[in-house]
Amino acid sequence: MTEPDWAGPVDRDRPSAARMYDYYLGGMHNFAADRELAERVLGTMPEGRLLARTNRSFLRRAVLACAAAGIDQFLDLGSGIPTAGNVHEIAHRANPSAHVVYVDNDPVAVAHSLALLDDDPRCAVVRADLRDPAAVLAHPDAHRVLDFDRPVAILLVSVLHFLTDADDAYGVVERYRQVAVPGSMLVVTHGSSDVELHAGVGAAQELYQGTTNPWGLRTRAEIERFFGDWPLLDPGLVTAGAWRPDQPADPRTASLPLLAGVARRP
Ligand SMILES: C[S@@+](CC[C@H](N)C(=O)[O-])C[C@H]1O[C@@H](n2cnc3c(N)ncnc32)[C@H](O)[C@@H]1O
């Protein structure tokens, strides 16, 4: 069989979080192994698709909130495979001159992001491991597109649960916060063990052990630590569906184990 040209040098037999997430969202950029494991995850955690959609719609509201606060630069760390409502599309609707840098270490996510952006000078895609802030921040494409002397929104949406304490997750986020000047914003969603969990979540976690991206949950207090001394905007750290919902929050989203918050550096 001919490889699709977006596949690049990819281990198609080892599922990845990026491609499984694409599958939950109804995307087409995933392989049989991703779909098979994603279906097993959905078997133990049927709310997986709702979780992905809830995360995605929080991302849209958070980007709009940053834009409304005057932010016109976005560093999207662990940006994923492009799907409906990408950060540059949302940001450009609010401000056509907004600049966006996408960072991911999944080759499929990077290849599709590059194809979608089609040399848009306001945007860049960096293939890098976000656990290496020095490499990300020194990357020439990041510097070409972002001006770190001006406020920037740092997006870490549904990605920090892939970083363990052995990865120095708090130190990594702190280094991104340190380069962000006052007025910058930090947007986070994170799988939480404080929201009442059912047994299926543990089983789903087990299934991810075989992927390129095992994950672990953190408590509310542990998630709050990522914001350091940056105050959280209203309504604080809440379940993603409850963060400034457009309509009354869907009650099903309130029980999803995903906390969301947006903070601003004073
Ligand atoms: C669940 S997806 C979230 C995508 C997007 N942020 C969103 O919320 O819709 C997680 C993404 O993080 C990426 N990722 C995980 N660990 C990473 C790392 N260490 N460096 C860069 N990207 C990473 C995965 O490849 C995947 O695309």
Side-chain angles (χ1 to χ4, degrees), residues 21-64:
Y21 181 70
D22 177 67
Y23 179 74
Y24 303 142
L25 288 170
M28 306 290 286
H29 304 308
N30 43 72
F31 302 119
D34 304 310
R35 294 190 285 277
E36 194 194 307
L37 193 66
E39 280 299 340
R40 288 176 64 198
V41 170
L42 292 172
T44 70
M45 212 176 77
E47 66 274 40
R49 287 186 195 280
L50 179 65
L51 196 64
R53 285 200 304 272
T54 302
N55 180 63
R56 214 51 213 177
S57 73
F58 161 79
L59 173 65
R60 176 179 52 75
R61 298 193 303 279
V63 168
L64 289 175

Short mmCIF file of all heavy atoms in Angstrom, two decimals, residues 21-64:
data_model
loop_
_atom_site.label_atom_id
_atom_site.label_comp_id
_atom_site.label_asym_id
_atom_site.label_seq_id
_atom_site.Cartn_x
_atom_site.Cartn_y
_atom_site.Cartn_z
N TYR A 21 -6.52 11.44 19.70
CA TYR A 21 -7.33 12.64 19.97
C TYR A 21 -8.01 13.11 18.68
O TYR A 21 -9.19 13.48 18.67
CB TYR A 21 -6.39 13.70 20.53
CG TYR A 21 -7.00 15.02 20.91
CD1 TYR A 21 -7.86 15.14 22.00
CD2 TYR A 21 -6.68 16.18 20.20
CE1 TYR A 21 -8.37 16.38 22.37
CE2 TYR A 21 -7.19 17.41 20.57
CZ TYR A 21 -8.04 17.50 21.65
OH TYR A 21 -8.54 18.73 22.02
N ASP A 22 -7.27 13.03 17.57
CA ASP A 22 -7.85 13.36 16.26
C ASP A 22 -9.04 12.45 15.97
O ASP A 22 -10.08 12.89 15.49
CB ASP A 22 -6.76 13.20 15.19
CG ASP A 22 -7.26 13.45 13.79
OD1 ASP A 22 -7.62 14.61 13.49
OD2 ASP A 22 -7.31 12.50 12.99
N TYR A 23 -8.89 11.18 16.31
CA TYR A 23 -9.98 10.21 16.08
C TYR A 23 -11.20 10.55 16.95
O TYR A 23 -12.33 10.54 16.46
CB TYR A 23 -9.47 8.80 16.38
CG TYR A 23 -10.52 7.73 16.18
CD1 TYR A 23 -10.92 7.35 14.91
CD2 TYR A 23 -11.12 7.11 17.28
CE1 TYR A 23 -11.90 6.37 14.73
CE2 TYR A 23 -12.09 6.13 17.11
CZ TYR A 23 -12.47 5.77 15.83
OH TYR A 23 -13.44 4.81 15.65
N TYR A 24 -10.97 10.87 18.24
CA TYR A 24 -12.10 11.22 19.11
C TYR A 24 -12.87 12.41 18.53
O TYR A 24 -14.08 12.51 18.67
CB TYR A 24 -11.65 11.61 20.53
CG TYR A 24 -10.85 10.58 21.27
CD1 TYR A 24 -9.78 10.96 22.09
CD2 TYR A 24 -11.15 9.22 21.19
CE1 TYR A 24 -9.04 10.03 22.79
CE2 TYR A 24 -10.40 8.28 21.88
CZ TYR A 24 -9.34 8.70 22.67
OH TYR A 24 -8.60 7.77 23.35
N LEU A 25 -12.12 13.32 17.90
CA LEU A 25 -12.75 14.54 17.38
C LEU A 25 -13.36 14.33 15.99
O LEU A 25 -13.85 15.27 15.37
CB LEU A 25 -11.72 15.69 17.31
CG LEU A 25 -11.30 16.26 18.67
CD1 LEU A 25 -10.10 17.20 18.51
CD2 LEU A 25 -12.44 17.02 19.34
N GLY A 26 -13.27 13.10 15.48
CA GLY A 26 -13.85 12.81 14.16
C GLY A 26 -12.91 13.12 13.01
O GLY A 26 -13.34 13.19 11.86
N GLY A 27 -11.61 13.31 13.29
CA GLY A 27 -10.63 13.63 12.23
C GLY A 27 -10.22 12.39 11.46
O GLY A 27 -10.55 11.25 11.82
N MET A 28 -9.46 12.63 10.37
CA MET A 28 -9.09 11.56 9.44
C MET A 28 -7.59 11.23 9.51
O MET A 28 -7.12 10.39 8.77
CB MET A 28 -9.38 11.99 8.00
CG MET A 28 -10.81 12.46 7.76
SD MET A 28 -11.96 11.10 7.86
CE MET A 28 -11.60 10.29 6.32
N HIS A 29 -6.85 11.91 10.38
CA HIS A 29 -5.40 11.76 10.35
C HIS A 29 -4.92 10.82 11.43
O HIS A 29 -4.27 11.20 12.40
CB HIS A 29 -4.74 13.14 10.45
CG HIS A 29 -5.21 14.07 9.39
ND1 HIS A 29 -5.20 13.73 8.05
CD2 HIS A 29 -5.77 15.28 9.46
CE1 HIS A 29 -5.70 14.71 7.35
NE2 HIS A 29 -6.05 15.67 8.18
N ASN A 30 -5.35 9.56 11.28
CA ASN A 30 -4.99 8.54 12.27
C ASN A 30 -4.88 7.21 11.54
O ASN A 30 -5.40 7.05 10.43
CB ASN A 30 -6.05 8.49 13.38
CG ASN A 30 -7.46 8.57 12.81
OD1 ASN A 30 -7.94 7.61 12.21
ND2 ASN A 30 -8.11 9.71 12.99
N PHE A 31 -4.17 6.27 12.17
CA PHE A 31 -3.95 4.96 11.56
C PHE A 31 -4.78 3.90 12.28
O PHE A 31 -5.34 4.15 13.35
CB PHE A 31 -2.47 4.60 11.64
CG PHE A 31 -1.56 5.59 10.97
CD1 PHE A 31 -0.59 6.27 11.68
CD2 PHE A 31 -1.67 5.85 9.60
CE1 PHE A 31 0.25 7.18 11.06
CE2 PHE A 31 -0.84 6.76 8.97
CZ PHE A 31 0.12 7.42 9.70
N ALA A 32 -4.78 2.69 11.71
CA ALA A 32 -5.60 1.61 12.27
C ALA A 32 -5.26 1.38 13.75
O ALA A 32 -6.16 1.20 14.59
CB ALA A 32 -5.39 0.33 11.45
N ALA A 33 -3.96 1.39 14.09
CA ALA A 33 -3.57 1.13 15.49
C ALA A 33 -4.11 2.22 16.42
O ALA A 33 -4.52 1.93 17.56
CB ALA A 33 -2.05 1.06 15.59
N ASP A 34 -4.14 3.47 15.93
CA ASP A 34 -4.68 4.56 16.76
C ASP A 34 -6.17 4.36 16.98
O ASP A 34 -6.67 4.51 18.09
CB ASP A 34 -4.48 5.92 16.04
CG ASP A 34 -3.03 6.19 15.70
OD1 ASP A 34 -2.19 6.06 16.61
OD2 ASP A 34 -2.74 6.52 14.53
N ARG A 35 -6.87 4.02 15.89
CA ARG A 35 -8.33 3.86 15.97
C ARG A 35 -8.69 2.70 16.88
O ARG A 35 -9.62 2.78 17.69
CB ARG A 35 -8.93 3.65 14.57
CG ARG A 35 -8.79 4.87 13.67
CD ARG A 35 -9.59 4.70 12.40
NE ARG A 35 -9.00 3.79 11.44
CZ ARG A 35 -8.03 4.12 10.56
NH1 ARG A 35 -7.54 5.33 10.56
NH2 ARG A 35 -7.55 3.22 9.71
N GLU A 36 -7.94 1.62 16.75
CA GLU A 36 -8.25 0.43 17.54
C GLU A 36 -8.10 0.71 19.03
O GLU A 36 -8.97 0.39 19.84
CB GLU A 36 -7.31 -0.69 17.10
CG GLU A 36 -7.73 -2.06 17.59
CD GLU A 36 -6.60 -3.05 17.42
OE1 GLU A 36 -6.05 -3.16 16.29
OE2 GLU A 36 -6.24 -3.67 18.43
N LEU A 37 -6.99 1.35 19.39
CA LEU A 37 -6.79 1.64 20.82
C LEU A 37 -7.79 2.70 21.29
O LEU A 37 -8.32 2.61 22.41
CB LEU A 37 -5.35 2.08 21.10
CG LEU A 37 -5.02 2.10 22.59
CD1 LEU A 37 -5.05 0.69 23.19
CD2 LEU A 37 -3.67 2.72 22.87
N ALA A 38 -8.06 3.69 20.44
CA ALA A 38 -9.02 4.74 20.82
C ALA A 38 -10.39 4.10 21.10
O ALA A 38 -11.07 4.48 22.06
CB ALA A 38 -9.13 5.78 19.71
N GLU A 39 -10.78 3.12 20.30
CA GLU A 39 -12.07 2.46 20.53
C GLU A 39 -12.05 1.70 21.85
O GLU A 39 -13.06 1.67 22.57
CB GLU A 39 -12.41 1.49 19.38
CG GLU A 39 -12.98 2.17 18.15
CD GLU A 39 -14.31 2.91 18.41
OE1 GLU A 39 -14.99 2.61 19.40
OE2 GLU A 39 -14.63 3.81 17.62
N ARG A 40 -10.91 1.12 22.19
CA ARG A 40 -10.83 0.42 23.49
C ARG A 40 -10.92 1.43 24.64
O ARG A 40 -11.56 1.16 25.65
CB ARG A 40 -9.53 -0.39 23.58
CG ARG A 40 -9.57 -1.63 22.66
CD ARG A 40 -8.26 -2.38 22.67
NE ARG A 40 -7.92 -2.94 23.96
CZ ARG A 40 -6.69 -3.34 24.30
NH1 ARG A 40 -5.69 -3.22 23.44
NH2 ARG A 40 -6.46 -3.85 25.48
N VAL A 41 -10.30 2.57 24.46
CA VAL A 41 -10.40 3.62 25.49
C VAL A 41 -11.85 4.06 25.63
O VAL A 41 -12.39 4.17 26.74
CB VAL A 41 -9.49 4.82 25.15
CG1 VAL A 41 -9.78 6.01 26.07
CG2 VAL A 41 -8.02 4.42 25.25
N LEU A 42 -12.51 4.28 24.49
CA LEU A 42 -13.92 4.72 24.54
C LEU A 42 -14.80 3.63 25.18
O LEU A 42 -15.82 3.96 25.79
CB LEU A 42 -14.42 5.06 23.14
CG LEU A 42 -13.78 6.32 22.52
CD1 LEU A 42 -14.20 6.47 21.06
CD2 LEU A 42 -14.15 7.57 23.30
N GLY A 43 -14.39 2.38 25.05
CA GLY A 43 -15.13 1.28 25.69
C GLY A 43 -15.09 1.40 27.20
O GLY A 43 -16.05 1.05 27.90
N THR A 44 -13.97 1.87 27.74
CA THR A 44 -13.87 1.99 29.21
C THR A 44 -14.29 3.39 29.66
O THR A 44 -14.70 3.57 30.80
CB THR A 44 -12.42 1.76 29.71
OG1 THR A 44 -11.62 2.86 29.30
CG2 THR A 44 -11.85 0.48 29.18
N MET A 45 -14.15 4.37 28.76
CA MET A 45 -14.45 5.76 29.13
C MET A 45 -15.27 6.37 28.00
O MET A 45 -14.76 7.11 27.16
CB MET A 45 -13.11 6.50 29.29
CG MET A 45 -13.15 7.58 30.32
SD MET A 45 -11.53 8.35 30.55
CE MET A 45 -11.40 9.41 29.15
N PRO A 46 -16.58 6.07 27.98
CA PRO A 46 -17.41 6.48 26.84
C PRO A 46 -17.48 8.00 26.66
O PRO A 46 -17.83 8.48 25.59
CB PRO A 46 -18.80 5.92 27.17
CG PRO A 46 -18.60 4.96 28.30
CD PRO A 46 -17.33 5.31 28.99
N GLU A 47 -17.13 8.74 27.72
CA GLU A 47 -17.21 10.20 27.60
C GLU A 47 -15.98 10.81 26.91
O GLU A 47 -15.82 12.02 26.84
CB GLU A 47 -17.41 10.85 28.98
CG GLU A 47 -16.27 10.70 29.96
CD GLU A 47 -16.34 9.40 30.75
OE1 GLU A 47 -16.69 8.35 30.17
OE2 GLU A 47 -15.99 9.41 31.94
N GLY A 48 -15.10 9.92 26.37
CA GLY A 48 -13.86 10.40 25.75
C GLY A 48 -14.08 11.43 24.65
O GLY A 48 -13.37 12.44 24.58
N ARG A 49 -15.07 11.19 23.80
CA ARG A 49 -15.32 12.14 22.70
C ARG A 49 -15.83 13.47 23.25
O ARG A 49 -15.42 14.54 22.78
CB ARG A 49 -16.35 11.58 21.73
CG ARG A 49 -15.81 10.45 20.87
CD ARG A 49 -16.88 10.06 19.84
NE ARG A 49 -16.60 8.79 19.22
CZ ARG A 49 -15.74 8.61 18.22
NH1 ARG A 49 -15.07 9.62 17.73
NH2 ARG A 49 -15.55 7.40 17.70
N LEU A 50 -16.70 13.38 24.24
CA LEU A 50 -17.24 14.61 24.84
C LEU A 50 -16.11 15.40 25.52
O LEU A 50 -16.04 16.63 25.45
CB LEU A 50 -18.34 14.26 25.86
CG LEU A 50 -18.99 15.43 26.59
CD1 LEU A 50 -19.76 16.32 25.61
CD2 LEU A 50 -19.95 14.92 27.69
N LEU A 51 -15.21 14.65 26.14
CA LEU A 51 -14.06 15.27 26.80
C LEU A 51 -13.22 16.05 25.78
O LEU A 51 -12.83 17.20 26.01
CB LEU A 51 -13.23 14.15 27.43
CG LEU A 51 -12.20 14.47 28.48
CD1 LEU A 51 -12.85 15.04 29.71
CD2 LEU A 51 -11.45 13.20 28.87
N ALA A 52 -12.95 15.41 24.63
CA ALA A 52 -12.14 16.06 23.60
C ALA A 52 -12.85 17.30 23.07
O ALA A 52 -12.24 18.37 22.90
CB ALA A 52 -11.85 15.08 22.46
N ARG A 53 -14.15 17.20 22.82
CA ARG A 53 -14.89 18.36 22.28
C ARG A 53 -14.97 19.47 23.32
O ARG A 53 -14.88 20.65 22.99
CB ARG A 53 -16.31 17.93 21.88
CG ARG A 53 -16.37 17.14 20.58
CD ARG A 53 -17.76 17.17 19.99
NE ARG A 53 -18.79 16.70 20.92
CZ ARG A 53 -19.16 15.42 21.05
NH1 ARG A 53 -18.59 14.50 20.30
NH2 ARG A 53 -20.09 15.08 21.90
N THR A 54 -15.13 19.09 24.59
CA THR A 54 -15.22 20.10 25.65
C THR A 54 -13.89 20.84 25.79
O THR A 54 -13.84 22.06 25.97
CB THR A 54 -15.59 19.41 26.99
OG1 THR A 54 -16.83 18.73 26.79
CG2 THR A 54 -15.73 20.39 28.12
N ASN A 55 -12.80 20.07 25.68
CA ASN A 55 -11.47 20.68 25.74
C ASN A 55 -11.29 21.67 24.59
O ASN A 55 -10.81 22.78 24.76
CB ASN A 55 -10.42 19.57 25.65
CG ASN A 55 -9.01 20.09 25.70
OD1 ASN A 55 -8.60 20.68 26.70
ND2 ASN A 55 -8.27 19.93 24.62
N ARG A 56 -11.70 21.24 23.42
CA ARG A 56 -11.53 22.05 22.21
C ARG A 56 -12.37 23.34 22.30
O ARG A 56 -11.94 24.40 21.88
CB ARG A 56 -11.99 21.19 21.06
CG ARG A 56 -11.32 21.29 19.75
CD ARG A 56 -9.86 21.20 19.70
NE ARG A 56 -9.42 22.05 18.62
CZ ARG A 56 -8.18 22.29 18.29
NH1 ARG A 56 -7.18 21.76 18.96
NH2 ARG A 56 -7.89 23.09 17.30
N SER A 57 -13.58 23.22 22.83
CA SER A 57 -14.39 24.45 22.87
C SER A 57 -13.90 25.37 23.98
O SER A 57 -13.97 26.59 23.85
CB SER A 57 -15.88 24.16 22.91
OG SER A 57 -16.25 23.68 24.13
N PHE A 58 -13.32 24.81 25.05
CA PHE A 58 -12.65 25.69 26.04
C PHE A 58 -11.51 26.45 25.36
O PHE A 58 -11.34 27.65 25.57
CB PHE A 58 -12.10 24.88 27.22
CG PHE A 58 -11.05 25.64 27.98
CD1 PHE A 58 -11.41 26.62 28.89
CD2 PHE A 58 -9.69 25.42 27.74
CE1 PHE A 58 -10.44 27.37 29.56
CE2 PHE A 58 -8.72 26.17 28.39
CZ PHE A 58 -9.09 27.15 29.31
N LEU A 59 -10.72 25.74 24.54
CA LEU A 59 -9.58 26.37 23.87
C LEU A 59 -10.06 27.59 23.07
O LEU A 59 -9.44 28.66 23.12
CB LEU A 59 -8.90 25.34 22.95
CG LEU A 59 -7.79 25.85 22.03
CD1 LEU A 59 -6.60 26.33 22.83
CD2 LEU A 59 -7.33 24.73 21.08
N ARG A 60 -11.17 27.42 22.35
CA ARG A 60 -11.70 28.55 21.55
C ARG A 60 -12.04 29.73 22.47
O ARG A 60 -11.63 30.86 22.22
CB ARG A 60 -12.95 28.09 20.79
CG ARG A 60 -13.64 29.19 20.00
CD ARG A 60 -14.87 28.70 19.24
NE ARG A 60 -15.82 27.98 20.07
CZ ARG A 60 -16.65 28.55 20.95
NH1 ARG A 60 -16.67 29.85 21.10
NH2 ARG A 60 -17.47 27.80 21.68
N ARG A 61 -12.76 29.46 23.57
CA ARG A 61 -13.17 30.56 24.44
C ARG A 61 -11.95 31.21 25.09
O ARG A 61 -11.90 32.42 25.27
CB ARG A 61 -14.14 30.04 25.52
CG ARG A 61 -15.42 29.47 24.94
CD ARG A 61 -16.49 29.26 26.01
NE ARG A 61 -16.11 28.39 27.11
CZ ARG A 61 -16.13 27.06 27.08
NH1 ARG A 61 -16.51 26.43 25.99
NH2 ARG A 61 -15.77 26.35 28.14
N ALA A 62 -10.95 30.39 25.42
CA ALA A 62 -9.76 30.94 26.08
C ALA A 62 -8.97 31.83 25.11
O ALA A 62 -8.47 32.89 25.49
CB ALA A 62 -8.89 29.81 26.62
N VAL A 63 -8.83 31.38 23.85
CA VAL A 63 -8.09 32.20 22.87
C VAL A 63 -8.83 33.53 22.66
O VAL A 63 -8.21 34.60 22.62
CB VAL A 63 -7.92 31.43 21.53
CG1 VAL A 63 -7.42 32.35 20.42
CG2 VAL A 63 -6.95 30.27 21.73
N LEU A 64 -10.16 33.47 22.58
CA LEU A 64 -10.93 34.71 22.41
C LEU A 64 -10.77 35.62 23.63
O LEU A 64 -10.68 36.83 23.50
CB LEU A 64 -12.41 34.39 22.16
CG LEU A 64 -12.70 33.78 20.79
CD1 LEU A 64 -14.17 33.37 20.67
CD2 LEU A 64 -12.33 34.76 19.66
#
